[in-house]
Amino acid sequence: MNDKVSRLTDYILRGIFGLVFMFSGFVKAVDPMGTAYKVEEYLNVFGFGFMLNDALTFPIIIAVFLCVMEFTIGVTMFLHIYKKPVRWVALLFMLFFTITTLIDALTNNVDDCGCFGDAIKLTNWQTFWKNIVLDVILMGIFMFDKKAKEDYSKRLPFVVTIAALILGVGFSVRNIMYEPIIDFRPWKVGNKMAPTLDEQKPPLAYATYKNNATGEEKEFSMASEGEGTLMKAYEEDPDFAEHWTYVEGKERIINTNTIAADGFSLVELGEVKDESLDVIGDTTQDLYIIAVWNLKTASEKGMKRLMQYVNKLDKEKNNIILITATSPKDWYDFSEKYSLQDYLFYSCDDKAIKAMIRSNPGLVHIKKAVVKEKFAWRNF
């Protein structure tokens, strides 16, 4: 292979590898808290839960490190800066993540590695094969990069690398302090989270019957009236029960009354019923959700700032609730501390709250089931 083809191949391989790493680092840096939660999950799965604490300090440090290193590796690889050390650092990264994702794919202990944050969801096997492709590309870079030269002055590589590091750290810290600047989650501002109360309809049930003469299978709606319903079939064929046989195991129910976020529910103290559809679907008042996934680690300064804002809201026009994953036995002390006696507390899964808002505490404003605003406590 001549030098021109070798250099062109090197440029293409480095371009692909660098862009993937830049994108991966960027989407992680958009939401470092999401990456930190994923790091926490990995540490627990692999038996290193003892390294965690309630403040998530260690996972956050690891998350920022991953964001910044991936982005910087991508930039330096793409621009052909410090080619030898960058290649070996990239190799170590790929070796670690290829082994980790193979274990994930085989055990399925973690359902999503979070390699592209919430921007792109991949299965564990898709993630593993993505890493295999990157491994092959990296091996090609090692092969074809030997003859390539760095065409930069001695100062420029240093300046570019430091700039990438500072940019990565600064961007990550900004998105830790406040809500992610780009929201890839279901609770994005502008998203409708549930049908309103007047839009909610009973679930639609379907049953399958088999024609005794022809063997044809047909699905019928269990609604009380209309075309395609079982009731209509009986009206048209009085001997329907003799001509058709019910097929077990092929029942189907379509329920459009759902929250557009997996795992989200609202259960009041002492109750078992999920009230999320009623609360979010109510159009008579604006809904303000004080989200505190962990009452014990919630920022005291943040709660005071947030409550200064909440206490100014018109209680007649707004429904204000607090949701938490903390045990109800801790609700009373928290309510007393921040004068929350007038507000309803609801229990909710911690992952569902973290998917809603990263700040602990945070505030979500919903109007007619649509997310209108989201605030980290530092916004107040």
Side-chain angles (χ1 to χ4, degrees), residues 84-102:
K84 289 184 179 180
V86 168
R87 284 187 317 209
W88 286 103
V89 172
L91 180 63
L92 291 174
F93 256 71
M94 289 309 306
L95 180 63
F96 174 79
F97 285 114
T98 301
I99 293 173
T100 302
T101 53
L102 176 59

Side-chain angles (χ1 to χ4, degrees), residues 38 86 108 152 167 215 221 254 271 278 291 312 328-329 368:
K38 187 59 64 175
V86 168
N108 211 34
Y152 301 102
L167 180 63
S221 168
I254 299 177
E271 302 292 333
D278 295 333
K312 295 177 182 178
K329 67 181 181 180
K368 296 182 179 179

Side-chain angles (χ1 to χ4, degrees), residues 204-353:
L204 298 175
Y206 293 87
T208 299
Y209 284 76
K210 183 177 181 180
N211 188 292
N212 297 331
T214 65
E216 173 196 4
E217 290 190 357
K218 188 174 181 180
E219 188 177 65
F220 296 92
S221 168
M222 304 304 288
S224 59
E225 58 183 2
E227 292 296 326
T229 65
L230 188 62
M231 185 69 70
K232 185 70 172 178
Y234 270 97
E235 290 176 1
E236 295 176 348
D237 181 5
D239 297 322
F240 180 88
E242 296 179 10
H243 298 156
W244 295 81
T245 302
Y246 173 69
V247 180
E248 293 187 8
K250 290 193 176 183
E251 305 85 0
R252 188 165 63 98
I253 296 178
I254 299 177
N255 184 9
T256 58
N257 303 329
T258 58
I259 302 295
D262 292 339
F264 185 83
S265 62
L266 297 175
V267 180
E268 197 176 342
L269 179 62
E271 302 292 333
V272 294
K273 179 187 176 184
D274 175 15
E275 299 181 29
S276 56
L277 284 168
D278 295 333
V279 174
I280 294 177
D282 183 15
T283 58
T284 61
Q285 294 177 303
D286 281 18
L287 175 64
Y288 282 86
I289 300 176
I290 304 170
V292 192
W293 68 269
N294 191 327
L295 300 180
K296 297 179 180 179
T297 62
S299 167
E300 184 172 345
K301 181 179 179 181
M303 275 303 301
K304 289 178 179 178
R305 283 194 192 180
L306 190 151
M307 291 311 300
Q308 286 178 354
Y309 175 83
V310 168
N311 288 330
K312 295 177 182 178
L313 295 172
D314 187 337
K315 305 303 185 295
E316 296 295 324
K317 296 181 180 179
N318 301 292
N319 180 24
I320 304 167
I321 65 172
L322 186 144
I323 65 172
T324 183
T326 308
S327 171
K329 67 181 181 180
D330 298 312
W331 292 7
Y332 179 78
D333 291 339
F334 193 83
S335 177
E336 286 287 315
K337 183 176 182 179
Y338 297 107
S339 302
L340 292 162
Q341 294 88 344
D342 294 335
Y343 305 121
L344 283 177
F345 276 55
Y346 287 91
S347 180
C348 185
D349 180 71
D350 62 334
K351 288 185 178 181
I353 299 175

Side-chain angles (χ1 to χ4, degrees), residues 32-282:
M33 289 302 296
T35 304
Y37 296 144
K38 187 59 64 175
V39 170
E40 182 184 16
E41 189 176 355
Y42 269 103
L43 290 174
N44 282 318
V45 165
F46 286 99
F48 294 100
F50 62 89
M51 303 175 71
L52 301 171
N53 56 44
D54 290 335
L56 279 178
T57 304
F58 182 66
I60 290 174
I61 292 172
I62 297 298
V64 173
F65 173 79
L66 289 175
C67 300
V68 174
M69 286 303 297
E70 279 195 76
F71 182 73
T72 304
I73 289 172
V75 170
T76 51
M77 183 72 77
F78 186 81
L79 297 178
H80 207 206
I81 292 173
Y82 298 129
K83 66 175 189 176
K84 289 184 179 180
V86 168
R87 284 187 317 209
W88 286 103
V89 172
L91 180 63
L92 291 174
F93 256 71
M94 289 309 306
L95 180 63
F96 174 79
F97 285 114
T98 301
I99 293 173
T100 302
T101 53
L102 176 59
I103 295 173
D104 285 346
L106 293 173
T107 63
N108 211 34
N109 287 328
V110 177
D111 58 1
D112 169 35
C113 77
C115 59
F116 294 130
D118 287 306
I120 299 176
K121 294 288 188 180
L122 299 176
T123 66
N124 286 330
W125 279 112
Q126 287 172 338
T127 302
F128 171 70
W129 289 114
K130 180 265 297 181
N131 285 340
I132 292 296
V133 172
L134 288 177
D135 289 336
V136 173
I137 291 174
L138 186 58
M139 291 302 100
I141 292 172
F142 270 89
M143 291 175 57
F144 295 106
D145 201 31
K146 294 178 180 179
K147 297 180 180 180
K149 297 180 180 180
E150 296 181 16
D151 300 321
Y152 301 102
S153 65
K154 292 183 179 180
R155 181 176 298 179
L156 185 60
F158 176 78
V159 172
V160 171
T161 304
I162 295 300
L165 289 169
I166 293 174
L167 180 63
V169 171
F171 189 61
S172 298
V173 171
R174 182 263 169 226
N175 290 316
I176 290 172
M177 302 290 284
Y178 300 92
E179 277 298 285
I181 198 167
I182 303 174
D183 197 347
F184 297 110
R185 293 162 292 160
W187 295 90
K188 179 181 178 181
V189 172
N191 282 3
K192 187 171 184 179
M193 300 310 301
T196 57
L197 293 180
D198 60 324
E199 294 172 334
Q200 293 178 18
K201 300 176 181 178
L204 298 175
Y206 293 87
T208 299
Y209 284 76
K210 183 177 181 180
N211 188 292
N212 297 331
T214 65
E216 173 196 4
E217 290 190 357
K218 188 174 181 180
E219 188 177 65
F220 296 92
S221 168
M222 304 304 288
S224 59
E225 58 183 2
E227 292 296 326
T229 65
L230 188 62
M231 185 69 70
K232 185 70 172 178
Y234 270 97
E235 290 176 1
E236 295 176 348
D237 181 5
D239 297 322
F240 180 88
E242 296 179 10
H243 298 156
W244 295 81
T245 302
Y246 173 69
V247 180
E248 293 187 8
K250 290 193 176 183
E251 305 85 0
R252 188 165 63 98
I253 296 178
I254 299 177
N255 184 9
T256 58
N257 303 329
T258 58
I259 302 295
D262 292 339
F264 185 83
S265 62
L266 297 175
V267 180
E268 197 176 342
L269 179 62
E271 302 292 333
V272 294
K273 179 187 176 184
D274 175 15
E275 299 181 29
S276 56
L277 284 168
D278 295 333
V279 174
I280 294 177
D282 183 15

